[in-house]
Amino acid sequence: MGMEVISIKSQREIELMRQAGRLTAQARNLAGSMVRPGVTTLEIDQAVRRFIERHGAKPSFLGYNGFPASACISVNEVVIHGIPDHRKLKEGDIVSIDVGAFLDGFHGDCAATFPCGQVSEEAMRLIRVTQESFWVGIQQAVKGNRVRDISHAVQVYVESNGFSVVRDFVGHGVGRKMHEAPEVPNFGPGGHGPRLMEGMTIAVEPMVCAGHYQVKNQKGQWNTATADGSWAAHYENTILITDGEPEILTVADPMP
């Protein structure tokens, strides 16, 4: 089987990726701003869909492999791919929201975990360590390094904080398709994987469990939860490899 080709984006394609990324990040911010007790995950999903469509884009996830919604909204022990429904959020929940927008031929992809009202100290620490592991990981996202240098940095940071990283799902290239080569795991030894080159665009997305990293599916192919019922957090941005520091493409300008 041939290796999948990793696409290197042109300047014009990078500009389009920035626009898709900006819209996606704004959708993530909108979703996060709605997280509070009494709101349903379906209400958040519908707002995300309206926002993305109003800006002339399509929700990347809607219909993807049959996914029925525009955002993946995963509460507490659900790690990823939570299907929005009529469940009302409760004080103390943690809510992982993953969104994608397809605009002018390119995808943006990003996620974050938001606290619902007052949450426990341990839940806040889980959210914080997950975000920090992303920033630690992308310090390795420089031209000439290898993909697994990012992976290794994420894993070491997460595990040194007493948490675990999901093995069954990984980050990925992003571009004309939502999932492109290369795979970007959050674990494994450094020094492996494809070499990072200027113009590569990848989604780095630590998925972190408070307990064991084993996951299981709760409802059909979606709603992937921790096997031990421990809580999980998720943080993701689409980034561009440059000749210097990586550029975050899923960054939201202040709302007009």
Side-chain angles (χ1 to χ4, degrees):
M1 206 170 91
M3 290 286 283
E4 262 195 285
V5 176
I6 297 172
S7 82
I8 301 294
K9 310 300 189 292
S10 69
Q11 280 310 312
R12 189 182 148 276
E13 290 172 326
I14 289 166
E15 190 43 52
L16 291 170
M17 292 270 309
R18 283 189 187 110
Q19 288 167 26
R22 183 178 306 132
L23 182 61
T24 308
Q26 288 172 343
R28 173 178 59 185
N29 286 1
L30 169 68
S33 74
M34 293 178 68
V35 171
R36 58 184 173 271
V39 173
T40 70
T41 55
L42 193 60
E43 286 169 331
I44 297 173
D45 178 70
Q46 287 165 340
V48 164
R49 179 174 183 174
R50 280 195 303 269
F51 177 81
I52 290 173
E53 289 176 345
R54 198 170 75 236
H55 287 83
K58 287 196 178 100
S60 301
F61 300 169
L62 188 60
Y64 184 83
N65 290 337
F67 190 76
S70 299
C72 297
I73 306 182
S74 308
V75 182
N76 299 341
E77 76 284 353
V78 180
V79 186
I80 48 170
H81 303 158
I83 296 178
D85 59 20
H86 292 286
R87 165 191 195 149
K88 283 192 161 83
L89 296 176
K90 298 190 309 295
E91 185 92 18
D93 285 344
I94 65 172
V95 186
S96 299
I97 300 176
D98 191 350
V99 292
F102 182 63
L103 179 67
D104 296 335
F106 288 88
H107 291 274
D109 190 4
C110 65
T113 301
F114 301 93
C116 184
Q118 284 295 116
V119 304
S120 72
E121 249 175 84
E122 182 66 355
M124 269 321 289
R125 197 171 78 85
L126 176 64
I127 291 172
R128 197 184 67 243
V129 167
T130 303
Q131 286 203 12
E132 287 167 354
S133 74
F134 166 86
W135 296 102
V136 168
I138 69 160
Q139 287 173 10
Q140 303 301 318
V142 291
K143 190 168 79 170
N145 272 4
R146 293 186 180 273
V147 166
R148 292 278 181 143
D149 293 328
I150 301 171
S151 315
H152 184 65
V154 170
Q155 179 180 12
V156 167
Y157 188 79
V158 167
E159 291 178 356
S160 71
N161 280 281
F163 298 135
S164 66
V165 289
V166 169
R167 303 287 202 273
D168 294 25
F169 297 90
V170 297
H172 49 89
V174 189
R176 291 186 183 278
K177 293 197 301 222
M178 191 168 58
H179 294 105
E180 299 184 349
E183 289 200 335
V184 185
N186 294 303
F187 60 94
H192 293 267
R195 209 169 274 294
L196 297 171
M197 292 165 65
E198 204 175 331
M200 278 170 66
T201 47
I202 57 177
V204 176
E205 53 175 318
M207 292 157 270
V208 176
C209 308
H212 195 274
Y213 61 75
Q214 251 176 325
V215 297
K216 59 173 190 199
N217 281 16
Q218 284 181 330
K219 298 176 188 165
Q221 69 181 122
W222 307 111
N223 282 54
T224 298
T226 59
D228 64 6
S230 67
W231 284 14
H234 186 192
Y235 189 70
E236 171 188 24
N237 284 300
T238 304
I239 69 169
L240 167 70
I241 306 301
T242 71
D243 61 356
E245 301 272 297
E247 179 187 337
I248 311 284
L249 297 175
T250 39
V251 66
D253 292 342
M255 289 296 229

